[in-house]
Amino acid sequence: MSIMEYNGGSVIAMVGKECVAIACDLRLGNQALGISSKFEKIFPVTDKLYVGLPGLATDVTTLKELFRYRVNMYTIKEEREIEPDTFAHLVSSTLYERRFGPYFIEPVMAGISTTPGGKVKPFIAATDLIGCLNFAKDFVVAGTASSKLFGVAEGLWEPDLEPEDLFETISQTMLNAVDRDAYSGWGTMVYVITKDKVIQRTLKGRMD
Amino acid sequence: METSFAITGKGYTIVASDTTAARSIVKMKVDEDRIKVLSSHLLMACSGEPGDTIQFSEFVERNIRLFQIRNNYSLKPSAAAAWIRRSLAQSLRSRKPYSVNLLLGGYDTTSHRPHLYWVDYLGTMTEVPFAAHGYGSYFVLSLLDKYHDPEAPLEEGLAVLKRCMDEVAKRLIVNPSAYKIKIVDKDGVREIEL
């Protein structure tokens, strides 16, 4: 019994053409016993940046609150919104603070930033539970279905997908990967972030 | 191990908990009230380590009351649940964590909606239409998947609750002898016999 698999749950993020997508499942369990099918693991940081927190459910809530507090303090001090890459380092150092008694969460971030020249830069990143950053150019996965998500994403993802195609890719990846994992599933929530809007959809999944 | 469960319906939340206090193989008490009334519209069913449940529930009760006295209004169920969860989450990473699992049933007098929160000793919290703790949860949750209706009137809600208790009595090897049942709705908290 691993503490990382106690409640179950998975998150994935993908890069598209001038857009990014992030998706999570909705299950909360106690080992094999399902408790809730409405447990969201993705939270907004700014209106163009989202963070997914799969892992031990108590730490999902604790870290959600901690990141909200730290991002608010940053926004007040700096008088501007936090950039995705800055937030990734905030996540990393917050987790490394607890190096020898960690939060059992593997965060996944997805957002877009606009350069002063007006160019749109998609951004995704993930860390392990002690804050080791992984900046990927294609997709990042985390949670109990991570091994399955890697396989499906590797087969479906391609570069420069438009928002609607990226939505289809991440949705199919998520739905098919969590069906092979007993600890993830019970519905999926998808966010597609583009430079002028965020599309949020809840997908029905197998309820077994 | 003790069993407690709760369901929400149209304008009410029902919380039920068995009343046996056991130690090892011995029944010490058969009329233990495990459901604490935290405020006029908030109930909390506690199970877990016997000493911890009492200590923690009284700690919560007094802090909720203190807030009421200081601010002249009581916490909404969502706010109370968040505070209780945080207390448990902080306790988890202390030297001696509380080993207490909770069901929080409340009625929000501002939005006129019933609420139910499932909380465990780790500080895991989620809002649910129905919930259970203990060995009884393995039978009750699947039963409620089939029979629970969030729009059911109180009579139907109580009928479903009766089914739950009967199922636990039928299938669990150590069946609880009696249950304490409390309802919270727009009129506040009341205890009933079934």
Side-chain angles (χ1 to χ4, degrees), chain A residues 140-166:
Chain A
V140 283
V141 298
T144 54
S146 58
S147 53
K148 294 99 183 171
L149 283 163
F150 259 128
V152 188
E154 200 72 77
L156 294 182
W157 185 85
E158 45 191 276
D160 296 322
L161 288 163
E162 295 296 330
E164 278 307 313
D165 298 328
L166 184 67

Side-chain angles (χ1 to χ4, degrees), chain A residues 6 28 30 33-36 39 57-59 61-62 65 101-104, chain B residues 85-86 89 92-93 118 120-128 137-138 141:
Chain A
Y6 185 75
L28 169 77
N30 244 222
L33 176 70
I35 299 293
S36 172
F39 193 77
T58 176
D59 292 342
T61 320
T62 305
E65 288 169 1
Y103 292 115
F104 298 98
Chain B
R85 187 212 82 83
R86 179 171 278 239
L92 182 72
R93 286 187 159 87
W118 182 94
D120 77 358
Y121 74 102
L122 298 167
T124 313
M125 181 180 82
T126 183
E127 187 169 8
V128 282
S137 69
Y138 293 101
L141 285 179

